[in-house]
Amino acid sequence: DAGVIQSPRHEVTEMGQEVTLRCKPISGHDYLFWYRQTMMRGLELLIYFNNNVPIDDSGMPEDRFSAKMPNASFSTLKIQPSEPRDSAVYFCASSGGNEQFFGPGTRLTVL
Amino acid sequence: AQSVTQLGSHVSVSEGALVLLRCNYSSSVPPYLFWYVQYPNQGLQLLLKYTTGATLVKGINGFEAEFKKSETSFHLTKPSAHMSDAAEYFCAVSERGVGKSTFGDGTTLTVKP
């Protein structure tokens, strides 16, 4: 099993640009989570899905952030427009209802 | 609602010394409890978990934790620290069968030679 796959691993963009982060969860897992991690705020849950349906998006910081899960094997987190304060490591994780399995993360830098 | 408190954001020990990372939780239902480790520039990975049964659970790399319901605690220990244990450690709690977990703020473990 390849584990949770995230792409890209690194993204550098300019303020105002659209950014799309991608995640492929572990096959058979019915939960998918998007987290953001920064030195200042630590690990924050942004949104999670159960069976491809968004369950709780209360952690999404503002309307510039959106997430989709069109099928059980793919999810995206989009930031439009991006701002320097969005710079962080974004993790995707999946779960079968017990522990979570994290991807390697996407390091986003917004200049 | 569930919550997790990790006492001490930074813990420093000497190589070979006991490692003790503290975690207290709050849950209105019987919890699942987890410890995760995060090495620099990596995602979190599961160290050990308590679901049901034996309250002393053993994990990878010689770590273990004991679920104490009366104290609402799930402290992580290792008898002898290695330099390779230097990392950030997260305690987490979830309801049984629900994939969502509530994470603590993390404890950074430093191991001195």
Side-chain angles (χ1 to χ4, degrees):
Chain A
D1 192 338
V4 175
I5 299 172
Q6 291 187 247
S7 64
R9 292 295 310 278
H10 301 273
E11 177 80 30
V12 180
T13 190
E14 293 188 347
M15 182 174 62
Q17 297 299 305
E18 177 179 296
V19 175
T20 300
L21 310 181
R22 297 172 175 80
C23 175
K24 176 179 171 56
I26 292 173
S27 177
H29 283 184
D30 50 3
Y31 287 89
L32 185 138
F33 307 84
W34 282 101
Y35 293 90
R36 178 173 68 177
Q37 187 176 41
T38 62
M39 290 292 291
M40 291 296 294
R41 294 186 297 270
L43 187 68
E44 302 173 277
L45 176 64
L46 300 178
I47 185 171
Y48 79 98
F49 297 82
N50 181 217
N51 293 320
N52 312 335
V53 175
I55 302 301
D56 184 357
D57 66 353
S58 61
M60 297 286 260
E62 45 196 283
D63 292 345
R64 298 184 297 106
F65 286 69
S66 62
K68 295 182 179 180
M69 192 167 185
N71 57 62
S73 58
F74 184 65
S75 177
T76 59
L77 177 67
K78 185 176 294 186
I79 308 172
Q80 166 64 15
S82 58
E83 297 183 3
R85 58 193 169 121
D86 302 330
S87 297
V89 180
Y90 291 81
F91 289 105
C92 175
S94 69
S95 172
N98 201 333
E99 68 265 34
Q100 295 184 20
F101 294 80
F102 283 74
T106 296
R107 183 174 296 276
L108 173 65
T109 302
V110 183
L111 303 174
Chain B
Q2 297 179 312
S3 66
V4 174
T5 301
Q6 291 186 237
L7 300 175
S9 58
H10 290 84
V11 171
S12 181
V13 300
S14 297
E15 191 173 20
L18 171 71
V19 176
L20 171 60
L21 304 183
R22 300 178 187 273
C23 172
N24 287 90
Y25 70 92
S26 173
S27 178
S28 59
V29 298
Y32 281 177
L33 294 159
F34 310 89
W35 276 100
Y36 292 84
V37 61
Q38 184 180 26
Y39 299 105
N41 300 312
Q42 295 186 25
L44 282 69
Q45 61 184 86
L46 184 70
L47 203 54
L48 50 78
K49 65 182 178 183
Y50 167 79
T51 54
T52 59
T55 56
L56 181 64
V57 293
K58 297 184 184 299
I60 61 173
N61 302 335
F63 284 93
E64 61 182 36
E66 186 170 11
F67 168 56
K68 292 188 177 181
K69 183 179 179 180
S70 61
E71 299 177 9
T72 61
S73 69
F74 192 57
H75 301 331
L76 181 70
T77 61
K78 181 174 180 178
S80 176
H82 294 164
M83 297 297 291
S84 59
D85 294 328
E88 188 161 19
Y89 293 79
F90 292 89
C91 181
V93 62
S94 73
E95 292 184 29
R96 296 183 174 186
V98 175
K100 177 180 179 290
S101 290
T102 299
F103 284 81
D105 290 336
T107 297
T108 299
L109 175 66
T110 300
V111 182
K112 298 176 291 185

